Amino acid sequence: MSDDEHHFESSESGASKTYPQQAGNIRKGGHIVIKGRPCKVVEVSTSKTGKHGHAKCHFVAIDIFNAKKLEDIVPSSHNCDVPHVNRVDYQLIDISEDGFVSLLTDSGGTKDDLKLPTDDALAAQMRSGFEEGKDVVVSVMSSMGEEQICAVKEVGGGK
Amino acid sequence: MLGFPNGSGGDGVGAEDLSQLQSTMRAIELACSYIQINSNPVAAEATILSLHQSPQPYKACRYILENSQVANARFQAAAAIREAAIREWSFLATDDKGGLISFCLGYVMQHANSSEGYVLSKVSSVAAQLMKRGWLEFTPADKEVFFYQINQAILGSRGLDVQFIGINFLESLVSEFSPSTSSAMGLPREFHENCRKSLEQNFLKTFYQWAKDAALSVTNKIIASHSSVPEVKVCNATLRLMYQILNWEFRYSKGGGTRASINVFSDGIRVDNALARKTECVIVQPGASWCDVLLSSSHVGWLINLYSSVRQKFDLEGYWLDCPVAVSARKLIVQLCSLAGEIFPSNNAQMREQHLLLLLSGVLPWIDPPDVISKEIEEGKSGSEMIDGCRALLSIGTVTTPVVFDQLLRSLRPFGTLTLLSMLMGEVVKVLMANSTDEETWSYEARDILLDTWTTLLASMDGSGGNAWLPPEGMHAAASLFSLIVESELKVASASGRGTVDPTETLEEVYSLLLIIGHVLADEGEGETALVPDAVQSHFVDVVEANNHPVVVLSSSIIKFAEQCLDAEMRSSIFSPRLMEAVIWFLARWSFTYLMLVEDCNLGSNQLQSLPSRACLFTFFNEHNQGKFVLDIIVRISLTSLMSFPGEKDLQELTCFQLLHALVRRRNICFHLLSLDSWRNLANAFANDKSLFLLNSVSQRSLAQTLVLSAYGMQSSDASNQYVKDLMAHMTSSLVDLTNNSDLKNLAQQPDIIMLVSCVLERLRGAASATEPRTQRAVYEMGLSVMNPVLRLLEVYKHESAVIYLLLKFVVDWVDGQLSYLEAHETAVVINFCMSLLQIYSSHNIGKISLSLSSTLLNEAKTEKYKDLRALLQLLSHLCSKDMVDFSSDSIETQSTNISQVVYFGLHIITPLITLELLKYPKLCFDYFSLISHMLEVYPETLAQLNNDAFSHVLTTVDFGLHQQDVDIVTMCLRALKALASYHYKEKNAGNSGLGSHAAGHTDPNGVFHEGILSRFLRTLLHFLLFEDYSTDLVSTAADALFPLILCEPNLYQGLGNELIEKQANPNFKTRLANALQVLTTSNQLSSSLDRLNYQRFRKNLNNFLVEVRGFLKTR
């Protein structure tokens, strides 16, 4: 069997922000671009419009950054844009007065351009873990040019 | 003393009292009017509540009832009497009890003509409830006094209004005594049951008789008068009462009502009988003693006459059909149609037929002739009478056999009842098709009832022997009805086509025909081998040549038509995705029943075997004849539907699940499949063609499974393994390549890679779930080669929950398929792999908090986690199974891995992730508890070794599980408890420590004693058994758990028993409970060893114990 059909390759540098994928293949829990926003799909239903027409997919999705609900209807054989969503873990090294955080990257540098998340519970968790001297690891989600802290995990290590 | 001195009115009321009473009355009146205008309702409610709760408010209530001008105040006063009397009943003097009831009865009779009907019904229902409250203490003479009064009222001597009130009171009384409608009184179930029994045996028939007499007394007037007269109201009430009485759940009619104790478990469950299972239609079985009232006294004739003569009189008044009295009369007639049981003497079959015939003749004018009546209804007449007529047919169909049913009408008409049924339904279908709106019309309802009637009649012939066939005329009637339905469905289908030139009209017809033919030619065969339907086998007996056999002709022409879709041009112009779905559905259903039948496998009943027509039908599509040719066409059509209809999810799922999957399930077909070029093309496309990577995930999985299963058709096991290897090599190597890529971390996040990985994982999972002995090697090696990639991906995709789930599910299915075949060293490899997987998973998830930007996303995250955990639990369960089912060549002794240790280690890792919140998901709950109960039953000793946290966590969840609604969950928890307690008891007896400190209890640093877990569960279980609601099915399992618990903690059990006895206020109950507890542990020669015999004895004892004591311990 020939094996040059699907190699896993890095897409060209300056990678495009999205990738086309058949609508019928996008599942609940997957990602999709609706009205230029990266979203997570929370509901997919397939409907058959017209007696002998083609099936269409109805997506209900939630913007992964601002939690707004968006909807779209696409014929199931057409392509949709799927956003690249990256999540990277960093260790938290500081929380500054103005609400910006300082993060340690894998390569040993720091990343200082992110604010504390707007979600109170999450921010409180970060602060308390940080103040107790625990190792706090945060996940930063980035997609289509936006970035946000989306999860936090404490790894013991406290005094 | 209570203001109700019998007879002597309110004479003794002093002046001071009077002013007091007046002020109370004013306060209540004010409160009632405040509530009505909604001004400060809280304060007003408090005022009224204080009246309800004040001790002995009877005097005030009576004063209000007699003097207040405000109806609402009188209503509240009546309610207050009820509440106070029920509360204080046991302190009231016997005279006062009777006095309260007489007052209420007297009150309603005196005010019988009052316009505020709701006050009267309230007072009347208060009288009924108090009467029930005192039912078991009043002497027959006491009751006699009340009922004399009621009877007088009902006879009509005191006027129509009083007559109405009397009937109304009986209605309240009957509904109060019927378990489903009775009001709560805080009394033992046994009380309610005794009341019910007493009423059913001693009064119900009398009430019916009274109602009959009352109705007789007014009917002449009604028939003679020309306008609606007040008698109608009374008549309606009597009909309603009779209907209500016939709705009673008769339980003591079989002469077996002399049981000393009342079994509270069967409470509310209808006594099972052969008839009831046929439909949901209620069957009335009052027993032999009712024969005189209902049958031999020409009661039915009278009722039918009454209805028909009044109906005739008001023929022109269209509204009459929906009048309350007409509705009640029809309801009663329908109810009488479902009369059955011992009321008909077994030596007199005629009586029953005469009864039904009489009813049918009465009902006939409502439904016959069907065309005229349906036309009238369409022109504006009410459809309610026709619908009741359909109900009557359903009732008659339920209590008779098809033959008797059909015969009934023959004495009245030249045709049978089945023909009438067919004509009637034909009309209904016509109307339904003519106005195809979505609105619910009379024709919808009538159609549903008539369909139920057919089902009832036809279901009785379902293989249960006996009247195997409908009478010939009935068959004809059913057939003509069926063709009418088909015809009208097709008409509707084609009418939905738009233009005259486009082929939509024809396509719609073809679409519907495919579905209809599929249903006619083949049975569903869900989960079993579908037989050629008997009717198809036994008909066409004169056909001897296959080419002339209608079924062969029909099948062949459909296959020829379906083949057209292989042509691209035809496909685009004719085969829409919808039509293609119908084609695939038909082919799946058809091939399952007809394609390549193995001799004597798909044969139906023996008597048909020798028919030549049958033989030619069976051989035509077998492997020596057309079978292989048709199989090739079907495979080509499948490939087309997968490749040429992109994005049509339903179509592809149908193709994969129904059609292809059904083909490879049949071994003989596999041999032929592998020799077909078309099948090779399918396998090739699967491995290499990009467009099949676009199928949705479940179809991917199913297709992989199908292809691996087909490997069975290879000549040898080696060849089968090689086939699977070739098929899957490409998938495994692509995963290995990916994970070896140095830039994996970034690469993996790209959507196209995520999609490919998901796709490959689905395929691997499909292949894994197709493991069979012949291909086990290849599938094992497939999994072995991706072990490391799987762990790498688990790390890389820790934020991509969808992929994580796929990874876990693949491992779950693979382990499930493989484990039982593996040798010791292979098992060790697999188990180490699973351990690494569990550790990586839990290290990512313990202590993690995600952003809760929106509640939907949060719920999503919860659901994802739930699915993951469920997969992990399944993995652990599968690992457990190695100890049970093991095909490896190693002997048990060489078993190097201790499975129980492994699974306990696993439980340690995942129990912190399982919260009580998550256990509310039923499936997770089920998986979790089946694992726990299995672990405890098989390896109780390892539980004792768990650390304290994990141990108590497991037991908290067991406690939680005991209080679930689901019987299976509770059963599993009880089994777990049994295992735990019996393990401890046996170990103790052998001089070991058993559960040790877990069982002994401990004192915490604050000096508080925490009792051991066995004591805790003994308490919980006893409370559960005595006071909570549960299914009877649980009693045996609960007994198995309770017995060892009692043996482990005899002292606590003694104490709990004494406590329970002390709590009983009633000395009679005290002795009964003490005896029952005594018998529970001593009768049946119960001894203190945990063997099978003793468990059985204890089960019996517990059951008797509960029957004896639940009746008074459990209150309502």
Side-chain angles (χ1 to χ4, degrees), chain A residues 1-11 15 17-22 24-25 27-31 40-57 62-69 76-79 82-89 106 117-122 125 139-141 148-154, chain B residues 493 496 498 504 507-508 511 574 576-579 581 645-650 683-684 687-690 693-698 701 726-728 730 734-735 737-738 741 743 745-747 749-758 760 762 798-802 806 842-854 856-857 860 863-864:
Chain A
M1 290 174 195
S2 97
D3 58 353
D4 44 19
E5 260 92 351
H6 10 266
H7 269 305
F8 295 100
E9 287 161 9
S10 204
S11 36
K17 291 171 180 168
T18 61
Y19 172 83
Q21 191 171 329
Q22 199 181 66
N25 264 319
R27 295 204 291 164
K28 188 175 160 178
H31 292 105
K40 183 165 179 147
V41 179
V42 291
E43 211 181 296
V44 192
S45 52
T46 323
S47 59
K48 292 163 186 174
T49 47
K51 294 225 77 173
H52 288 268
H54 291 272
K56 289 188 174 181
C57 298
I62 291 185
D63 189 319
I64 56 175
F65 291 118
N66 64 21
K68 289 217 173 73
K69 191 161 140 192
S76 63
S77 53
H78 288 204
N79 282 338
V82 176
H84 288 214
V85 180
N86 242 311
R87 291 197 197 72
V88 185
D89 289 353
D106 269 356
T118 45
D119 181 75
D120 291 338
L122 202 60
Q125 177 82 11
S139 300
V140 174
M141 176 170 66
Q148 200 173 67
I149 293 175
C150 67
V152 58
K153 192 161 140 41
E154 288 168 8
Chain B
S496 66
R498 274 151 297 177
T504 316
L507 287 185
E508 282 296 345
Y511 176 83
I574 304 282
S576 72
R578 291 302 80 69
L579 183 57
E581 278 170 21
F645 292 85
E648 291 297 337
K649 214 172 96 194
D650 289 0
N684 240 328
N688 299 310
D689 198 307
K690 272 219 152 119
F693 269 86
L694 290 177
L695 292 183
N696 84 22
S697 53
V698 278
R701 196 195 317 155
D726 290 344
L727 196 69
M728 302 307 293
H730 198 53
S734 63
L735 272 196
D737 287 351
L738 172 68
N741 192 310
D743 195 23
K745 235 178 168 177
N746 288 320
L747 199 57
Q749 305 298 331
Q750 292 170 15
D752 48 339
I753 304 293
I754 296 180
M755 196 188 135
L756 273 174
V757 169
S758 310
V760 170
E762 286 285 10
K798 62 183 171 191
H799 296 300
E800 203 63 52
S801 51
L806 289 179
S842 75
S843 74
H844 291 158
N845 285 285
I846 290 180
K848 182 176 163 186
I849 295 190
S850 292
L851 181 61
S852 53
L853 257 185
S854 86
T856 328
L857 283 185
E860 280 300 299
T863 318
E864 280 156 4

Side-chain angles (χ1 to χ4, degrees), chain B residues 104 186 350 590 815 878 957:
Chain B
C104 290
Q350 263 193 338
W590 177 86
V815 168
H878 294 330
T957 55

Side-chain angles (χ1 to χ4, degrees), chain B residues 119-138:
Chain B
V119 177
L120 294 185
S121 339
K122 182 71 191 181
V123 178
S124 172
S125 94
V126 170
Q129 289 185 36
L130 297 186
M131 193 175 270
K132 176 171 172 187
R133 181 62 185 86
W135 193 256
L136 301 180
E137 9 181 322
F138 294 146

